[in-house]
Structures are given as structure tokens and as C-alpha cells.
């Protein structure tokens, strides 16, 4: 299974990336993919949570 996400950067202009990861990837894999897709240097923090709301 493949998951598709749209990541939106909170900036003055709309900046977004569409990324895809496999279902067996970890949240760390997701984090690293986001960093790479925006060209961040890897020092940014991230948090993820699972919710059914």
C-alpha cells in the first residue's frame, strides 16, 4: 500500500509538496522525506501523532 500526503509549508506564499511513502515506512522515513522534499538541512524538529478525530 502507498500513502500520499500533501505537505503545506506555513509561509507568506503557498508552498507545498506531494509525497508518497510505502505503508511499511516509519514516521522517521516520513520525516526524512519531508526534509528532503523541501531542501531543509536536517536540524528541524518534527512531531507526529495518530488521531481518529
Amino acid at each position: 500500500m502507498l500513502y500520499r500526503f500533501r505537505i503545506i509549508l506555513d509561509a507568506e506564499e503557498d508552498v507545498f509538496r506531494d509525497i508518497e511513502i510505502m505503508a511499511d515506512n516509519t514516521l522517521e522515513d516520513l520525516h526524512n522525506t519531508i526534509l528532503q522534499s523541501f531542501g531543509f538541512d536536517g536540524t528541524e524538529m518534527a512531531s507526529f501523532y495518530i488521531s481518529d478525530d
Side-chain angles (χ1 to χ4, degrees), residues 6-44:
R6 174 161 284 179
I7 310 299
I8 302 171
L9 186 64
D10 186 20
E12 290 181 20
E13 295 182 27
D14 289 338
V15 179
F16 68 92
R17 301 289 187 271
D18 292 326
I19 61 172
E20 297 176 343
I21 63 168
M22 298 301 297
D24 60 348
N25 286 135
T26 66
L27 289 176
E28 183 177 10
D29 295 330
L30 175 60
H31 173 68
N32 291 331
T33 302
I34 293 168
L35 292 178
Q36 292 172 358
S37 69
F38 282 103
F40 295 147
D41 63 9
T43 61
E44 292 79 6

Side-chain angles (χ1 to χ4, degrees), residues 27 48-53:
L27 289 176
F48 298 93
Y49 63 93
I50 298 172
S51 173
D52 61 357
D53 292 339

